[in-house]
Amino acid sequence: MRITTDADITHLITRAADAIEDLVRDTPDAVLGIATGSTPEPLYAEITARASRGLDLSRLRITCLDEYVGLDARHPQSYRHYIVQHVLEPWGIDPEATVLPTGDSDDPDAAAADFERRILGLGGVDLQILGVGPNGHIAFNEPGSSFSSRTRVVGLTPSTREANSRFFADKAEVPSRAISQGIGTILESRHALMLAFGEGKAPAVRAMLEGPATEDVPASALQKHADVDVYLDDAAASLLADR
Ligand code: F6R
């Protein structure tokens, strides 16, 4: 794991955007795995700015980590909607060139299995963007998830539903289930880029990087990933012993 800390998030976003730009210039039809949530939004905005200055992203293939079960695809909080808004439209990518889970399927288990099959069909993920939940989750793999888990329907913990309720008008609207890439699936990405900003993430960051690799802290599985860059602002890194 390579860990970079900086007081200024802009510097970290530049480094992360450089990794995406290098990949696209080297392999225009690479597979990029998108994380949703607020942390990577400035990264996607930076890539949008580079696209407006001529970076051609049109051949990139896009996948994602997870999707709520039961939200209509057009719901403003569906992850499909997020990806259309922050990635596909501003980067000029054809929605047909994406592999996203169908969260509003009548059969979510079949939709999860289909999502995993289609990720494998892409030949795997070249670069996976990741964020970490305050409880240590990655994607929607909550504490206790097996490190060998594959893409499946998962239940969301009360703390995750609480954390994500900030995006919904009413807490009761936050779905209780999601389709999530498994930890085993995520560990197969060829390169991963983990972003964590803010003191609210500091305990999860310490457990992810300096605690034992344990299923109690899903993100600690990244200690077993072959190629991970971690970008932390000073607040998120504030509880690390080794800074
Ligand atoms: C989203 C995802 C989640 C988030 C995590 C942090 O696709 O997989 O694991 O990365 O919940 O979310 P934010 O960035 O909103 O703090």
Side-chain angles (χ1 to χ4, degrees):
M1 274 190 178
R2 292 170 298 274
I3 301 171
T4 305
T5 61
D6 199 298
D8 186 345
I9 290 176
T10 320
H11 297 155
L12 300 166
I13 293 298
T14 301
R15 296 273 299 267
D18 288 347
I20 296 177
E21 179 166 348
D22 288 349
L23 175 69
V24 177
R25 290 198 186 278
D26 187 58
T27 312
D29 64 346
V31 177
L32 179 68
I34 296 295
T36 56
S38 42
T39 309
E41 280 184 19
L43 171 61
Y44 305 144
E46 170 61 20
I47 295 294
T48 300
R50 294 183 188 202
S52 69
R53 296 196 294 269
L55 180 66
D56 181 9
L57 300 151
S58 60
R59 292 179 57 202
L60 209 51
R61 292 174 294 159
I62 297 292
T63 186
C64 73
L65 289 167
D66 41 19
E67 177 61 282
Y68 290 117
V69 166
L71 284 192
D72 187 274
R74 284 156 308 184
H75 190 288
Q77 294 312 327
S78 81
Y79 287 173
R80 181 179 295 266
H81 185 270
Y82 175 107
I83 289 167
V84 169
Q85 188 187 15
H86 294 281
V87 174
L88 302 183
E89 282 181 355
W91 298 6
I93 296 176
D94 182 354
E96 292 299 314
T98 62
V99 164
L100 306 178
T102 314
D104 56 357
S105 161
D106 292 339
D107 186 345
D109 292 315
D114 180 57
F115 180 43
E116 168 100 4
R117 248 190 325 272
R118 289 186 299 137
I119 294 170
L120 297 177
L122 287 170
V125 176
D126 291 303
L127 176 57
Q128 178 63 59
I129 313 297
L130 293 168
V132 61
N135 67 353
H137 73 212
I138 40 170
F140 274 133
N141 295 286
E142 299 285 31
S145 300
S146 161
F147 281 0
S148 57
S149 52
R150 309 302 305 185
T151 304
R152 67 212 183 286
V153 174
V154 294
L156 304 186
T157 61
S159 73
T160 292
R161 293 186 69 219
E162 174 70 38
N164 289 8
S165 67
R166 68 192 195 277
F167 298 116
F168 290 81
D170 180 351
K171 247 185 226 173
E173 258 190 72
V174 186
S176 54
R177 292 186 304 157
I179 292 171
S180 178
Q181 278 197 36
I183 296 178
T185 320
I186 293 169
L187 290 179
E188 287 170 8
S189 56
R190 283 182 271 281
H191 181 190
L193 217 153
M194 158 62 74
L195 305 174
F197 306 142
E199 65 179 341
K201 299 290 174 72
V205 165
R206 179 180 52 189
M208 165 173 76
L209 301 177
E210 293 183 343
T214 161
E215 291 175 356
D216 294 339
V217 182
S220 66
L222 294 178
Q223 295 174 22
K224 299 179 181 297
H225 193 291
D227 189 12
V228 191
D229 282 289
V230 182
Y231 293 112
L232 307 171
D233 70 353
D234 283 355
S238 58
L239 296 179
L240 293 179
D242 184 19
R243 295 188 60 197

